[in-house]
Amino acid sequence: MTSTYCGIVFDLDGTLIDSAPVVADVLNAMRQQHSKDALGIDCYRSWSSEGGAVLVGNALGISPKDAEQLVPEFRRRYFDLPTPINSIYPGVIEMLKAFKSRNISLAICSNKPENLCKKVLSEVNLDSYFDIVVGGDTLTKRKPDPLPLMHVIHEININPSRILYVGDSLIDRNTARSAEIDFAFFAGGYDPKITLGPSDISFSTHDLFVSDLISQGKING
């Protein structure tokens, strides 16, 4: 393994952004149309890593197959709602600035549709930090298939041994495994109970993540 990383790829929801409050507003409004009471944000956090059909299906109490036809409506409503600036997890901006100051290439690899990723990043003023944004519909396959992550790595043109993928879910860990990329787990995200391997990195505070990587010799100080 190369001692230092030159590129870091991030998942978005549950890793850099807590989108659950906006998702909850959208899906609780859809629940109301189906004469159902509102659900708490923690429900939506626990479902957010599973993809649109599972998320909408769980929210409305229907199967993912039946929910497929409602996913476009969910995404239209989501697109119409602004992303609050406080959706950014504490320390994320400081972390991204620290990485960029060390000339580390940054990218996004998410299962959220690409246009929604770019909308959210733009609305919270994070878009300028990332060289490429790949969403769940950018290619023919989505995470945990390794294709999206490998596409990002190809585009930023960095040796895979010098790439770190950062996420908050089992899907993210499995994506990194499939792509044979090092993995860092944000323990404060949506899927806190995954099993990590001995080579995986775990962190719970974004601004301290940088100092942790420096102390481990993973990035230049």
Side-chain angles (χ1 to χ4, degrees), residues 136-195:
D137 60 351
T138 303
L139 304 171
T140 57
K141 296 182 179 179
R142 60 205 300 271
K143 301 184 301 183
D145 190 282
L147 179 65
L149 181 54
M150 296 307 297
H151 176 74
V152 170
I153 294 167
H154 178 267
E155 290 296 309
I156 60 178
N157 194 28
I158 294 173
N159 190 300
S161 68
R162 306 194 74 177
I163 295 288
L164 179 67
Y165 184 51
V166 183
D168 72 301
S169 71
L170 180 63
I171 288 173
D172 295 324
R173 190 210 69 180
N174 289 345
T175 301
R177 292 279 195 280
S178 297
E180 299 183 344
I181 299 300
D182 288 354
F183 178 63
F185 175 63
F186 174 50
Y190 294 161
D191 193 2
K193 297 180 180 179
I194 75 171
T195 300

Side-chain angles (χ1 to χ4, degrees), residues 8-180:
I8 301 180
V9 184
F10 293 91
D11 173 52
L12 183 58
D13 298 287
T15 300
L16 299 178
I17 300 288
D18 182 8
S19 59
V22 175
V23 169
D25 287 345
V26 172
L27 288 173
N28 280 335
M30 293 176 69
R31 280 180 62 84
Q32 186 177 33
Q33 287 186 329
H34 290 79
S35 302
K36 297 178 181 290
D37 294 333
L39 296 174
I41 287 178
D42 284 345
C43 289
Y44 295 113
R45 287 194 176 104
S46 68
W47 297 331
S48 289
S49 299
E50 301 294 329
V54 173
L55 175 61
V56 173
N58 285 341
L60 299 181
I62 58 178
S63 71
K65 182 178 180 180
D66 291 336
E68 284 284 359
Q69 61 185 336
L70 296 173
V71 170
E73 178 187 352
F74 161 68
R75 289 176 175 161
R76 282 195 301 271
R77 289 173 178 243
Y78 188 109
F79 196 89
D80 288 340
L81 287 182
T83 307
I85 195 70
N86 64 3
S87 297
I88 307 171
Y89 283 113
V92 163
I93 294 174
E94 293 81 359
M95 174 191 71
L96 296 176
K97 286 180 177 178
F99 286 142
K100 293 299 281 187
S101 72
R102 289 165 172 81
N103 296 314
I104 294 173
S105 295
L106 304 178
I108 295 289
C109 183
S110 170
N111 272 346
K112 183 192 288 292
E114 183 180 330
N115 70 324
L116 288 179
C117 289
K118 290 179 175 178
K119 160 196 146 64
V120 168
L121 290 169
S122 175
E123 288 176 340
V124 297
N125 300 317
L126 294 184
D127 50 327
S128 63
Y129 290 100
F130 299 100
D131 300 320
I132 181 173
V133 175
V134 169
D137 60 351
T138 303
L139 304 171
T140 57
K141 296 182 179 179
R142 60 205 300 271
K143 301 184 301 183
D145 190 282
L147 179 65
L149 181 54
M150 296 307 297
H151 176 74
V152 170
I153 294 167
H154 178 267
E155 290 296 309
I156 60 178
N157 194 28
I158 294 173
N159 190 300
S161 68
R162 306 194 74 177
I163 295 288
L164 179 67
Y165 184 51
V166 183
D168 72 301
S169 71
L170 180 63
I171 288 173
D172 295 324
R173 190 210 69 180
N174 289 345
T175 301
R177 292 279 195 280
S178 297
E180 299 183 344

